[in-house]
């Protein structure tokens, strides 16, 4: 596990790690009330200048990876998970139908409060995910995405940390 020395943490920062795991948290991250759970053979990467506010959870109960780019922001009560944390089984064959899948979040993604980013999610550069969205697939870059399931409602957008003056 590598946690850059200049990351800001709080008493709510918590990590539970299984065997053969890799957690890499880059420089200048804000990790307030961040909960990370890794089963065995999990890879988690958080890029530099990323921040988590409120209670956020990175969950990997099964082998897989969560990759978060640089400059990402996460509102409170966001869950990111590589699996369903239970098995769905076909009755006739006994075969499991819900394997885990990686989550990839590119640079400068902003995820609104109480959103869920579920297994197999990929989010492109500069995208904004609205509060309460449930993401289950690929969202293109520079898009505003909202809803259950999340869908693009506007393309060609960007965002800034600071409030800019209105026209």
């Amino acid at each position: 596990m590598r946690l850059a020395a200049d990351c800001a943490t709080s008493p709510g920062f918590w990590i539970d790690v299984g065997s053969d795991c890799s957690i890499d948290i880059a420089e200048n991250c804000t990790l307030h009330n961040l909960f990370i759970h890794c089963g065995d053979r999990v890879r988690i990467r958080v890029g530099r200048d990323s921040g988590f506010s409120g209670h956020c959870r990175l969950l990997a109960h099964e082998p897989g990876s969560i990759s978060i780019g640089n400059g990402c922001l996460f509102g409170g009560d966001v869950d990111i998970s590589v699996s369903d944390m239970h098995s769905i089984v076909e009755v006739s064959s006994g075969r499991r139908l819900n394997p885990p899948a990686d989550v990839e979040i590119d640079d400068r993604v902003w995820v609104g409060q109480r959103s869920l980013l579920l297994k197999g999610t990929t989010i492109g550069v500069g995208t904004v995910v609205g509060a309460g969205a449930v993401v289950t697939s690929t969202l293109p870059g520079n898009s505003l995405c909202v809803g259950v399931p999340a869908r693009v409602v506007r393309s060609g957008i960007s965002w800034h940390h600071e409030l800019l003056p209105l026209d």
Side-chain angles (χ1 to χ4, degrees):
M1 183 177 104
R2 184 185 79 84
L3 173 61
D6 65 349
C7 289
T9 62
S10 69
F13 178 64
W14 189 80
I15 298 177
D16 177 32
V17 181
S19 65
D20 191 24
C21 291
S22 169
I23 299 174
D24 183 13
I25 300 176
E27 298 76 24
N28 199 35
C29 289
T30 303
L31 309 171
H32 296 300
N33 295 310
L34 177 62
F35 174 97
I36 299 174
H37 173 77
C38 299
D40 297 333
R41 300 181 319 277
V42 170
R43 306 288 175 257
I44 302 224
R45 179 192 164 277
V46 177
R48 71 180 183 281
D49 302 318
S50 292
F52 299 85
S53 63
H55 181 72
C56 294
R57 301 186 310 167
L58 307 182
L59 304 169
H61 291 83
E62 297 185 77
S65 72
I66 297 172
S67 178
I68 297 170
N70 300 321
C72 293
L73 291 179
F74 297 85
D77 298 321
V78 170
D79 277 2
I80 302 171
S81 182
V82 302
S83 75
D84 297 327
M85 296 177 267
H86 60 272
S87 297
I88 298 175
V89 178
E90 182 177 62
V91 173
S92 62
S93 69
R95 184 175 61 96
R96 182 173 170 195
L97 302 174
N98 62 332
D102 298 340
V103 174
E104 295 183 32
I105 302 165
D106 215 325
D107 295 342
R108 294 197 34 75
V109 169
W110 176 7
V111 179
Q113 187 170 356
R114 293 189 186 100
S115 294
L116 300 175
L117 282 58
L118 303 179
K119 65 182 185 173
T121 290
T122 300
I123 302 176
V125 173
T127 289
V128 174
V129 176
V134 177
V135 184
T136 60
S137 61
T138 299
L139 300 178
N142 296 108
S143 298
L144 174 60
C145 304
V146 300
V148 179
R151 68 193 184 294
V152 175
V153 294
R154 186 157 186 180
S155 298
I157 63 104
S158 182
W159 63 274
H160 295 272
H161 287 270
E162 65 279 348
L163 289 174
L164 301 176
L166 296 172
D167 294 337

